[in-house]
Amino acid sequence: MEKWNVEMVTNRGLVREINEDAAVIIDDVLIVADGMGGYSAGEVASRLLVEAVTRALPPVPDAEKGTERLTAAIAAANESILEESKAHADYSGMGTTVVLLEHAGDSLYWAHVGDSRLYRLRDGQLRRITRDHSLVADLVEQGSITEAEARVHPKRNLLTRAVGVEEKVVPETGRLSSRKGDIYLLCSDGLTNMIDDERIRDVLLTKENGKAAALCELALEAGGQDNITVITAEVNEAHAS
């Protein structure tokens, strides 16, 4: 039996000329990246990240060193993007977010930088695992604005941390227990800036198949202001704890 049932959708949206998001599903690893840095440069940064992380992660995960491996993979991606930025003037200043999830044994390891997100639906409750590295996230934590105001704030795209922008990047990482029936969601902010967590929860709870496509469609119906990338993964191993 497969460890999880995975669905993935990525869409240019209704406003952007190109899709600067990148996503990949490779066996036990799920990755979403949202590039930035001007026309075409964001697309390059997200692609380089996916390629570098894929190369850096071993085919057989070591369950004892989950977060260390993910941190090293993101560091390799950071170096790759910086090198490309220095080699091509058109790419100067480009960078990307990343959120990745790896299934290893009975555990799930995650890492993220930026404002792409990881959620878990368990027992009907939706929990956001990651914390956005952004100006508006800081303002929400300070109580200066609400979550609803953050989604339409004029500086909502201003990140405080990204891959490929500085010589060193520090991702946030963590480990989660794996339980049969859990549903994990990885997404770019093209989804979460368009629809709130309650609507995301409703789709994950009620849609038996096509969850990723349904979420993308809701973001498009809400205006599709940005690229939209969604990966959903439902744990289905009978032995998962």
Side-chain angles (χ1 to χ4, degrees), residues 35-55:
M36 61 183 193
Y39 190 79
S40 82
E43 181 183 22
V44 172
S46 60
R47 174 180 55 81
L48 288 172
L49 180 135
V50 167
E51 292 173 353
V53 170
T54 300
R55 287 194 305 269

Side-chain angles (χ1 to χ4, degrees), residues 5 11 29 38 41 70 77 97 149 220:
N5 294 326
N11 190 289
V29 181
L70 300 188
T97 71
E149 290 170 335
L220 291 170

Side-chain angles (χ1 to χ4, degrees), residues 105-174:
D106 287 341
S107 297
L108 293 167
Y109 294 94
W110 60 268
H112 102 107
V113 178
D115 60 1
S116 294
R117 294 180 181 176
L118 171 66
Y119 291 83
R120 180 179 70 190
L121 182 75
R122 173 178 285 182
D123 298 330
Q125 301 299 311
L126 184 68
R127 174 191 169 198
R128 188 194 305 177
I129 304 300
T130 55
R131 175 196 172 278
D132 292 351
H133 301 137
S134 68
L135 173 64
V136 295
D138 292 344
L139 293 175
V140 170
E141 284 194 356
Q142 294 164 11
S144 301
I145 61 173
T146 66
E147 287 280 1
E149 290 170 335
R151 285 196 298 276
V152 296
H153 195 281
K155 294 185 178 180
R156 62 186 177 277
N157 295 323
L158 183 58
L159 300 181
T160 56
R161 201 181 307 184
V163 183
V165 176
E166 299 181 347
E167 291 296 327
K168 184 176 181 181
V169 63
V170 180
E172 290 191 31
T173 62

Side-chain angles (χ1 to χ4, degrees), residues 4-230:
W4 46 19
N5 294 326
V6 182
E7 302 171 359
M8 181 176 76
V9 173
T10 187
N11 190 289
R12 179 172 58 87
L14 303 177
V15 176
R16 304 285 189 180
E17 293 186 24
I18 62 173
N19 191 346
E20 294 185 312
D21 289 357
V24 70
I25 300 167
I26 305 174
D27 298 326
D28 298 324
V29 181
L30 314 177
I31 308 171
V32 169
D34 179 358
M36 61 183 193
Y39 190 79
S40 82
E43 181 183 22
V44 172
S46 60
R47 174 180 55 81
L48 288 172
L49 180 135
V50 167
E51 292 173 353
V53 170
T54 300
R55 287 194 305 269
L57 289 177
V60 180
D62 180 352
E64 298 302 317
K65 297 182 179 180
T67 56
E68 291 91 336
R69 287 183 305 100
L70 300 188
T71 297
I74 291 174
N78 193 67
E79 182 177 351
S80 177
I81 295 169
L82 282 172
E83 287 177 356
E84 196 72 6
S85 295
K86 293 172 182 177
H88 301 277
D90 291 346
Y91 297 157
S92 177
M94 70 178 176
T96 182
T97 71
V98 63
V99 59
L100 65 94
L101 184 67
E102 182 175 38
H103 205 312
D106 287 341
S107 297
L108 293 167
Y109 294 94
W110 60 268
H112 102 107
V113 178
D115 60 1
S116 294
R117 294 180 181 176
L118 171 66
Y119 291 83
R120 180 179 70 190
L121 182 75
R122 173 178 285 182
D123 298 330
Q125 301 299 311
L126 184 68
R127 174 191 169 198
R128 188 194 305 177
I129 304 300
T130 55
R131 175 196 172 278
D132 292 351
H133 301 137
S134 68
L135 173 64
V136 295
D138 292 344
L139 293 175
V140 170
E141 284 194 356
Q142 294 164 11
S144 301
I145 61 173
T146 66
E147 287 280 1
E149 290 170 335
R151 285 196 298 276
V152 296
H153 195 281
K155 294 185 178 180
R156 62 186 177 277
N157 295 323
L158 183 58
L159 300 181
T160 56
R161 201 181 307 184
V163 183
V165 176
E166 299 181 347
E167 291 296 327
K168 184 176 181 181
V169 63
V170 180
E172 290 191 31
T173 62
R175 173 187 174 277
L176 299 166
S177 63
S178 175
R179 181 185 297 178
K180 184 178 180 181
D182 286 348
I183 299 174
Y184 292 88
L185 165 69
L186 294 79
C187 62
S188 61
D189 68 339
L191 176 70
T192 53
N193 283 339
M194 292 290 100
I195 60 175
D196 60 25
D197 288 6
E198 184 176 353
R199 297 184 76 190
I200 290 173
R201 173 184 172 274
D202 289 345
V203 170
L204 295 180
L205 272 176
T206 60
K207 196 79 173 174
E208 185 173 351
N209 296 303
K211 296 179 180 67
L215 288 169
C216 181
E217 187 61 32
L218 282 177
L220 291 170
E221 291 174 0
Q225 297 293 312
D226 200 352
N227 308 143
I228 307 155
T229 299
V230 181

